[in-house]
Amino acid sequence: MAPLLKDELDIVIPTIRNLDFLEMWRPFFQPYHLIIIQDGDPSVTIKVPDGFDYEFYNRNDINRILGAKASCISYKDGACRSFGFMVSKKKYIFTIDDDCFVAKDPSGNEINALEQHIENLVTPSTPLFFNTLYDPFCDGADFVRGYPFSMREGLPTAVSHGLWLNIPDYDAPTQLVKPRERNTRYVDMVMTIPKGTLFPMCGMNLAFDRDLIGPAMYYGLMGEGQPIGRYDDMWAGWCMKVVCDHLGWGVKTGLPYIWHSKASNPFSNLKKEFKGIFWQEDMIPFFQTLKLPKDCNTSQKCYIELSKQVRAKLGKIDPYFNKLADAMVTWIEAWDELNPPSGAAAVAAEGLNGPAKKK
């Protein structure tokens, strides 16, 4: 069977190491185009297995293509994957970490995570009214008695959020308390996250409709030179969910599972997360009460408005949020330069100083 959406989807991978993990994913990923973002020292050589179609970008490439606007792309942090979202020209994005392997379902069958993400994205979401059989568009499910017929068409799905077996995505304090805990529960379920409900988005197994939500899928300023880390996907998730709720799009979570192979160092994580653990007690209420004006009718307009409110309300907590608000605006400016609405998109994608390296 021909790969689903082969010409409409890019796989974005941030990495600091050789991509040997792709061998396990070869049966599922090889037909697709990869965008690889090297995180860290650009002088280090990253080896990619033969047979994959890919573009490769390091920090020098990011600086060359974006110029002064490269300041919005994090350095020495997985948040650098945002650049891959920006330079892609496909409708859909799947992003995965390089310590995520192919998982197996309870019957021992290898899980094609990409196929499940695509199924999630091309079927509607139901954020306005909860269905107790979860995703009614999955095989073997439907709308239950009492579900309004006027809502059964659902809404477009913008994001598919997958989960993980083995190493759970815990914060540093939980890692320290439960160092040996592993997730062994496989729950055969996909559900739409209700409108008005935030969630902790994990970026290691994630797919989204770039045409819909791409401009709002910015992983913020993290890593070297920033006072916070490991909140890149959290920030993107909170911003994205507010925008989806405002524009009438859905977010699904659950299947597919991947096998998360490696636990990061909890002491190192605690240093990165320390400020965020305190700040999130203000950030989450901020997003829960945030309202966007009716004239914000695109992801870009929503995100610019978000930046203004971040500056006005979160900027009082720490100067970092003023810097982040500036970066949010820069991100949208760079996005629009590389993704103009006209047919000049291909020309602009060359960047300011020539084309990126392609393999």
Side-chain angles (χ1 to χ4, degrees), residues 39 42 56 67 71 119 132 137 166-167 185 191 195 204 208 210 233 265 268-269 281 288 293 299 306 312:
D39 177 24
F56 182 92
S71 62
E119 182 179 335
T132 52
F137 299 98
N166 196 36
I167 306 295
R185 296 182 302 158
M191 63 178 290
K195 181 178 180 179
M204 72 174 83
F208 60 92
R210 183 179 177 276
D233 43 7
N265 186 299
S268 174
N269 290 346
E281 301 305 318
Q288 287 175 324
S299 289
L306 264 173

Side-chain angles (χ1 to χ4, degrees), residues 169 200-204 219 230-238:
D169 186 29
M201 188 179 84
C202 173
M204 72 174 83
Y219 277 49
R230 284 176 56 82
Y231 273 84
D232 52 336
D233 43 7
M234 299 294 123
W235 181 261
W238 296 328

Side-chain angles (χ1 to χ4, degrees), residues 51-63:
F52 287 93
D53 172 41
Y54 67 93
E55 297 171 57
F56 182 92
Y57 299 90
N58 60 28
R59 192 69 200 188
N60 293 336
D61 297 315
I62 294 171
N63 291 338

